[in-house]
């Protein structure tokens, strides 16, 4: 199958179609509005639903209604819009509805700007909305990976009956790269005996999140916790880059930043310096065990975390490595993407 | 080996389109490609630029601060980006709109009256296509024939546009071929 | 022996949690009777609000979803868009619909989403214990306007039916009351029309039902009926505000 040159946002829209998703509710926000502009044409071709809502609040709650009625659904937005959707995401996690949210991050806080950032790491991985819940969080580093992870997100959402995030920065949404849509990798939606589809020949179904009895709510929350344990045990994904030589310095970065780190590693390798990289592909579940093993390896001298934030994933790296090795941090914010030269400079400072 | 080209000019000059055509040609030549737009307030009328990277290996950083070549379609773009081009690189200057050159002897500077040539062909809208032709002829970033094939296939439903764009590409290439080869200054000079 | 009056199939045999004198039980029954009569129960999906009627799903014998506060019209939009064959209704109070959910109801109505909204207006927040609602009357006392609603400070009560009837799109908008038998009969007719129109594929329908809340009004059940009659009906007049094919905007046509 020939590769197509596609913008990340459009490729994500096509990936959802290929994953048999037939309903998309949205509200425009830069830098991912192209998902909507793509799907408004594409959804009718497959008899799917496209609807531009009056707000992110409405769009995300439409997603709830449609998911609870048994449809495979998704929405996309960018940081401030995701903040508004957090209400529905908490309810969806509580109601255990399979749904996919794409967050093409822009810089904040507040209205911030429209350029790339990774400032929603904590929002995505630690909850974001109220209450005790988690979402699976997938972090693509290329347009192809955005496609593959979006397709995978629908199945993960159904396997665990949980909201799944595809978390990319503005560059993932805006840049064009060649992509290939693999056929037959996502199965059509499974039976959903719990969905509200009319109670003909069965007892009524109810999708709700209110538990006024504290004991019942604790039972429900423990069930969610058990699910998150299962996710942590089964779904950790990460990439190792230049790690076979057991380098003294190991970087941890995700998304676009990880690519920048790879360029820095390649540059230093030519000069005879070995630096490694661990790129978490799942941010939740986080690759704790891998990073602990690296921290315990006597060859490892120090760890450098690079992010487009003020240090958010940094907290997970600190926890994973248990401070066994010194950790440094390099971050750019405000929509400024760190250049490979800057990462090289940070690495040289560490080595000196 | 990785090639990068930055295309820069006013919004509406076709900057994003010629960048995309170059990326498509790279894809057709079975190389790794990435097209990175400037997106931001400047999308709405001001300066527009995009960067295309073409490589034989998987592409790492999509942030290119020192591109191998630059196509500058207006003066602010030239002034902003000319100093960033790597020594040995190519700078195409749209001399129809830019009355100045670049005071650098370590890069291959080519002045091409893109708007004027495009007008002669039939429409000023082909101006950036003239620049793309000059770039393709002056650097080996993609085979010239591949670029022609991409234009034919991308504009196959608009025969007149395809014809004008191909003519523009060819005229740009002619201007580039007429100028003597660039000899970088000796390293010890 | 012939049974001439029984619990509708669309209601369960669950004892009510509503207060004595509250109108919710009556309105639940009117909706349930309609689902039975029109044969819609087996393809009905209700959306419960946040408010006293959040537990409506304990009483209705059909599929239900429980919405976030004010978002029931967005839920219903999602359901109906992916399953146009279902009969979808939201059941919402005045705080839920006219305050936090105003954007959702206005836009769902304006898009002409093909579901039905039963809007229960009792001029007060019930579940949280009697706070001022967008429909609280001028000078009416609540826990958050203890000196009575001061319209110079917080504005006048919102007439939801008139507001929505000012939109071009909705198919059917009516205001009825559930406080006296002949009003209840008229309310039943309006609710039946709304569901009938939905079943015929017409777009958005809303029935606003004036309701009593003796507990939060601080009145006996019979005094509450009096109070509604004397105070609410003059401000919230009853009647059909918009019917299918009627292109006129926000003019009362006829009383039911």
């Amino acid at each position: 199958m020939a590769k197509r040159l596609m913008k990340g946002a459009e490729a994500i829209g096509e990936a959802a179609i290929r994953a048999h998703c037939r309903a998309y509710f949205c509200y425009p926000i830069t830098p991912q509005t192209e998902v909507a502009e793509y799907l408004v044409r594409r959804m009718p071709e497959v008899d799917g639903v496209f609807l531009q809502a009056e707000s992110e609040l409405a769009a995300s709650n439409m997603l709830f209604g449609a998911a609870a009625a048994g449809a495979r659904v998704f929405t996309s937005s960018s940081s401030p819009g995701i903040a508004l959707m957090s209400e529905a995401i908490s309810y969806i996690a509580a109601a255990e509805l399979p749904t996919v949210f794409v967050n093409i991050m822009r810089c904040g806080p507040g209205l911030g700007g429209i350029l790339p950032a990774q400032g929603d790491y904590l929002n995505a991985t630690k909850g974001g909305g109220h209450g005790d819940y988690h979402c699976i969080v997938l972090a693509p580093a290329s347009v192809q990976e955005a496609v593959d992870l979006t397709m995978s997100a629908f199945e993960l959402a159904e396997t665990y009956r949980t909201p799944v995030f595809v978390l990319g920065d503005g560059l993932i949404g805006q840049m064009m790269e060649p992509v290939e849509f693999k056929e037959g990798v996502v199965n059509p939606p499974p039976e959903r005996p719990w969905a509200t589809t009319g109670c003909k020949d069965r007892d009524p179904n109810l999708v709700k999140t209110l538990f006024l009895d504290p004991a019942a709510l604790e039972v429900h929350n423990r069930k969610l916790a058990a699910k998150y344990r299962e996710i942590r045990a089964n779904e950790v994904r990460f990439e190792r880059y230049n790690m076979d030589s057991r380098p003294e310095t190991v970087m941890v970065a995700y998304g676009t930043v990880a690519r920048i780190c790879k360029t820095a590693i390649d540059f230093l390798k030519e000069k005879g310096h070995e630096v490694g990289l661990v790129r978490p592909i799942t941010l939740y579940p986080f690759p704790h065990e891998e990073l602990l093993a690296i921290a315990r390896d006597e060859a490892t001298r120090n760890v450098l975390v690079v992010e487009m934030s003020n240090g958010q994933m940094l907290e997970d790296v600190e926890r994973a490595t248990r401070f066994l090795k010194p950790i440094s941090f390099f971050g750019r914010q405000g929509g400024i993407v760190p250049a490979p030269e800057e990462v090289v400079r940070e690495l040289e400072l560490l080595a000196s | 080996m990785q090639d990068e080209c930055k295309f820069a000019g006013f919004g509406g000059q076709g900057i994003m389109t010629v960048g995309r055509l170059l990326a498509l040609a790279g894809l057709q030549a079975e190389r790794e490609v990435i097209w990175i737009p400037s997106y931001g307030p400047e999308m709405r009328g001001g300066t527009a630029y995009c960067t295309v990277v073409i490589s034989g290996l998987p592409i790492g950083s999509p942030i290119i601060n020192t591109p191998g070549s630059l196509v500058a379609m207006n003066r602010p773009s030239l002034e902003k980006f000319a100093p960033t081009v790597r020594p040995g690189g190519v700078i195409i200057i749209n001399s129809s709109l830019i009355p100045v050159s670049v005071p650098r002897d370590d890069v291959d500077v080519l002045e091409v009256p893109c708007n004027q040539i495009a007008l002669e062909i039939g429409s000023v809208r082909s101006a950036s296509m003239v620049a793309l032709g000059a770039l393709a002829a002056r650097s080996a970033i993609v085979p010239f024939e591949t670029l022609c094939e991409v234009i034919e296939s991308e504009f196959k439903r608009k025969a007149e546009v395809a014809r004008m764009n191909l003519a523009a590409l060819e005229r740009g290439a002619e201007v580039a071929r007429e100028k003597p080869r660039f000899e970088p200054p000796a390293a010890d000079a | 022996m012939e049974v001439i009056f029984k619990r509708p199939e669309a209601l369960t045999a669950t004892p009510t949690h509503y207060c004595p004198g509250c109108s919710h039980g009556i309105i639940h029954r009117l909706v349930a009777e309609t689902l039975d009569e029109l044969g819609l129960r087996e393809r009905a999906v209700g959306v419960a609000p946040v408010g006293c009627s959040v537990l409506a799903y304990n009483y209705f014998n059909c599929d239900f979803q429980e919405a976030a506060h004010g978002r029931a019209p967005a839920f219903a939009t999602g359901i109906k868009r992916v399953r146009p064959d279902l009969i979808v209704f939201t059941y919402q109070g005045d705080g839920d619909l006219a305050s936090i959910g105003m954007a959702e109801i206005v836009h769902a109505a304006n898009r002409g989403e093909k579901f039905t909204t039963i809007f229960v207006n009792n001029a007060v927040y019930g579940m949280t214990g009697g706070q001022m609602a967008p429909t609280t009357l001028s000078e009416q006392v609540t826990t958050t306007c203890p000196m009575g609603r001061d319209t110079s400070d917080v504005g006048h009560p919102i007439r939801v039916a008139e507001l929505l009837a000012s939109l071009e799109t909705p198919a059917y908008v009516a205001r009825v009351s559930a406080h006296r038998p002949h009003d209840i009969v008229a309310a039943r007719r309006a609710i039946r029309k709304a569901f009938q129109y939905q079943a015929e594929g017409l777009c958005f329908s809303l029935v606003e039902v004036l309701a009593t809340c003796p507990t939060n009004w601080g009145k006996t059940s019979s005094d509450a009926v009096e109070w509604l009659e004397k105070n609410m009906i003059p401000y919230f007049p009853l009647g059909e505000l918009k019917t299918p094919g009627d292109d006129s905007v926000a003019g009362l046509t006829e009383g039911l």
Side-chain angles (χ1 to χ4, degrees):
Chain A
M1 161 119 200
K3 286 192 174 183
R4 288 164 66 181
L5 185 67
M6 285 182 93
K7 219 176 207 202
E10 295 179 344
I12 286 168
E14 182 61 27
I17 300 271
R18 302 292 179 114
H20 311 284
C21 171
R22 292 295 178 268
Y24 172 74
F25 302 92
C26 64
Y27 187 80
I29 180 169
T30 308
Q32 60 75 56
T33 307
E34 292 89 339
V35 182
E37 290 172 341
Y38 183 82
L39 286 175
V40 71
R41 294 167 190 278
R42 190 70 175 91
M43 272 296 181
E45 292 175 3
V46 292
D47 294 326
V49 172
F50 171 93
L51 186 63
Q52 177 175 331
E54 65 270 28
S55 66
E56 285 92 349
L57 274 175
S60 53
N61 284 296
M62 287 172 187
L63 209 64
F64 186 121
R72 190 177 266 183
V73 294
F74 95 113
T75 187
S76 62
S77 188
S78 179
S79 311
I82 293 292
L84 286 170
M85 290 184 178
S86 299
E87 174 190 77
I89 296 167
S90 166
Y91 280 72
I92 286 169
E96 300 189 86
L97 298 175
T99 47
V100 173
F101 291 81
V102 176
N103 180 1
I104 299 298
M105 290 180 280
R106 52 187 265 183
C107 42
L111 203 46
I114 60 175
L115 293 171
Q118 294 180 324
D120 299 351
Y121 179 93
L122 292 174
N123 171 293
T125 59
K126 310 298 177 192
H130 69 284
D132 231 350
Y133 76 95
H134 282 286
C135 302
I136 296 174
V137 184
L138 310 172
S142 68
V143 176
Q144 181 65 58
E145 201 175 33
V147 163
D148 296 341
L149 292 180
T150 298
M151 291 169 86
S152 172
F154 288 99
E155 285 199 320
L156 284 169
E158 274 149 16
T159 301
Y160 295 101
R161 286 188 58 184
T162 190
V164 177
F165 262 101
V166 176
L167 188 72
D169 56 73
L171 277 164
I172 295 293
Q174 289 297 312
M175 66 191 187
M176 277 199 239
E177 284 187 296
V179 285
E180 190 180 354
F181 295 95
K182 296 171 193 91
E183 295 295 338
V185 290
V186 183
N187 293 315
E191 287 289 307
R192 292 164 153 91
W194 43 264
T196 60
T197 53
C199 62
K200 187 168 167 51
D201 302 327
R202 61 160 169 77
D203 289 336
N205 280 341
L206 169 64
V207 178
K208 65 153 192 166
T209 62
L210 179 69
F211 293 85
L212 287 172
D213 171 10
L217 182 53
E218 190 177 50
V219 167
H220 179 62
N221 282 359
R222 283 192 172 148
K223 182 183 161 211
L224 294 181
K227 173 160 80 180
Y228 302 141
R229 272 197 300 280
E230 201 187 332
I231 289 169
R232 288 198 297 270
N234 297 334
E235 302 300 340
V236 174
R237 299 187 209 173
F238 57 87
E239 181 197 359
R240 291 157 53 95
Y241 190 75
N242 203 40
M243 289 295 293
D244 292 345
S245 61
R246 293 172 67 204
E248 286 185 4
T249 300
V250 176
M251 289 194 282
V252 188
Y254 70 97
T256 302
V257 177
R259 292 174 71 151
I260 291 158
C261 291
K262 284 183 183 177
T263 297
I265 289 170
D266 294 348
F267 176 82
L268 287 171
K269 199 180 182 71
E270 276 183 26
K271 293 169 75 177
H273 306 300
E274 298 292 349
V275 176
L277 169 75
V278 174
R279 174 174 76 92
I281 296 170
T282 52
L283 302 181
Y284 187 94
F286 192 72
H288 280 275
E289 284 177 23
E290 171 68 10
L291 288 174
L292 180 60
I294 288 165
R296 282 182 170 152
D297 186 337
E298 60 198 27
T300 308
R301 296 281 297 277
N302 47 47
V303 175
L304 174 65
V305 179
V306 188
E307 294 179 65
M308 284 191 277
S309 81
N310 197 27
Q312 299 202 354
M313 181 175 68
L314 174 64
E315 292 181 11
D316 275 340
V317 176
E318 287 171 345
R319 203 155 67 93
T321 58
R322 301 181 190 174
F323 291 99
L324 291 172
K325 295 288 155 62
I327 300 174
S328 307
F329 176 74
F330 178 62
R332 295 302 304 261
Q333 296 175 74
I336 297 169
V337 184
E341 299 82 12
E342 294 174 87
V343 177
V344 167
R345 205 179 316 131
E346 289 298 314
L347 289 166
E348 285 171 346
L349 277 175
L350 272 183
S352 64
Chain B
M1 179 57 201
Q2 177 167 304
D3 284 313
E4 312 99 1
C5 180
K6 181 164 264 172
F7 295 88
F10 295 121
Q13 276 184 314
I15 298 298
M16 300 298 180
T17 306
V18 290
R20 185 170 161 274
L21 292 171
L22 179 63
L24 280 170
L27 179 59
Q28 187 147 325
E30 294 183 344
R31 306 191 69 197
E32 300 287 336
V33 301
I34 179 168
W35 174 95
I36 311 129
S38 63
Y39 72 89
E42 63 266 32
M43 235 166 102
R44 326 267 179 239
T47 313
Y49 61 91
C50 67
T51 308
V52 175
V53 184
I54 299 182
S55 175
L57 296 169
I59 297 164
S61 172
I63 296 300
I64 306 293
N65 288 335
T66 54
S69 42
L70 167 70
V71 170
M73 294 299 289
N74 67 4
R75 185 169 176 170
S77 302
L78 183 73
E79 286 169 350
K80 186 170 180 188
F81 296 120
T84 68
V85 176
R86 280 203 305 270
V90 179
I91 298 180
I92 308 290
I93 298 176
N94 177 15
S95 58
S96 300
L97 297 182
I98 307 172
V100 296
S101 191
V102 175
R104 281 181 66 170
D105 62 0
D106 61 340
V107 289
D108 181 8
V109 178
L110 190 66
E111 286 154 31
V112 184
C114 299
N115 287 43
Q116 190 189 320
I117 292 173
L119 275 172
E120 286 164 20
I121 291 166
S123 167
V124 73
R125 295 181 60 161
S126 303
S128 51
M129 217 61 77
V130 177
L132 179 63
L135 173 80
R138 204 68 186 174
S139 69
I141 193 161
V142 289
F144 191 77
E145 305 71 45
T146 310
L147 205 47
C148 295
E149 286 165 28
V150 164
I151 288 172
E152 274 170 20
S153 115
E154 282 297 295
F155 297 97
K156 63 175 173 240
R157 290 196 199 123
K158 297 176 187 166
E160 181 55 21
V161 178
R163 190 199 58 77
M164 270 202 296
N165 283 337
L166 285 169
L169 199 74
E170 186 53 47
R171 287 288 305 279
E174 278 168 22
V175 174
R177 289 185 199 116
E178 278 161 16
K179 201 184 166 197
R181 260 189 60 177
F182 168 66
E183 299 291 345
D188 59 353
Chain C
M1 197 168 61
E2 192 194 353
V3 178
I4 57 165
F5 188 78
K6 64 181 173 86
R7 175 167 50 80
E9 200 188 354
L11 282 184
T12 61
T14 311
T16 180
H17 77 288
Y18 296 118
C19 305
C22 165
S23 309
H24 273 310
I26 295 167
I27 303 167
H28 280 22
R29 185 178 176 101
L30 297 181
V31 172
E33 285 176 354
T34 301
L35 293 177
D36 279 9
E37 285 170 21
L38 298 177
L40 302 175
R41 184 187 75 87
E42 290 186 333
R43 56 189 182 110
V45 179
V47 184
V50 172
C52 287
S53 52
V54 61
L55 297 175
Y57 46 72
N58 286 346
Y59 311 119
F60 281 102
N61 183 25
C62 66
D63 279 7
F64 243 85
Q65 295 187 17
E66 173 202 272
H69 197 18
R71 318 287 176 235
F75 277 56
T77 299
I79 302 166
K80 191 77 183 190
R81 290 268 175 165
V82 298
R83 289 295 304 269
D85 55 316
L86 298 177
I87 295 294
V88 180
F89 67 98
T90 73
Y91 187 106
Q92 302 176 259
D94 43 57
D96 190 80
L97 180 142
S99 191
I100 194 167
M102 188 56 112
E104 282 76 14
I105 191 66
V106 169
H107 286 278
N110 192 53
R111 285 191 304 265
E113 297 296 343
K114 292 177 175 152
F115 64 83
T116 299
T117 291
I118 306 299
F119 167 46
V120 179
N121 175 5
N122 60 12
V124 75
Y125 277 74
M127 192 197 214
T128 45
Q131 291 76 33
M132 184 179 70
T135 52
T136 294
L137 293 175
S138 176
E139 295 178 15
Q140 182 185 339
V141 171
T142 75
T143 63
T144 51
C145 52
M147 311 304 285
R149 179 175 185 140
D150 177 359
T151 55
S152 70
D153 184 37
V154 294
H156 290 269
I158 297 175
R159 293 187 182 98
V160 169
E162 284 82 348
L163 191 146
L164 295 178
S166 77
L167 302 170
E168 287 285 330
T169 327
Y172 183 69
V173 179
R175 184 185 288 115
V176 295
S177 180
H179 73 299
R180 287 190 197 277
H182 69 275
D183 292 298
I184 295 169
V185 173
R188 192 172 187 280
R189 244 185 342 252
I191 289 170
R192 192 187 155 103
K193 275 190 184 181
F195 277 93
Q196 181 68 46
Y197 290 143
Q198 183 185 166
E200 289 168 7
L202 297 186
C203 74
F204 183 79
S205 53
L206 175 136
V207 180
E208 174 173 344
V209 189
L210 301 184
T212 51
C213 182
T215 301
N216 287 305
W217 291 355
K219 295 186 173 12
T220 65
S221 296
S222 54
D223 286 352
V225 168
E226 290 281 309
W227 190 88
L228 186 154
E229 175 104 18
K230 278 197 184 135
N231 297 280
M232 289 183 76
I233 290 180
Y235 191 83
F236 298 114
L238 308 182
E240 291 181 326
L241 289 100
K242 200 165 196 310
T243 52
D246 165 27
D247 291 335
S248 69
V249 172
L252 276 175
T253 51
E254 54 182 324
L256 274 155

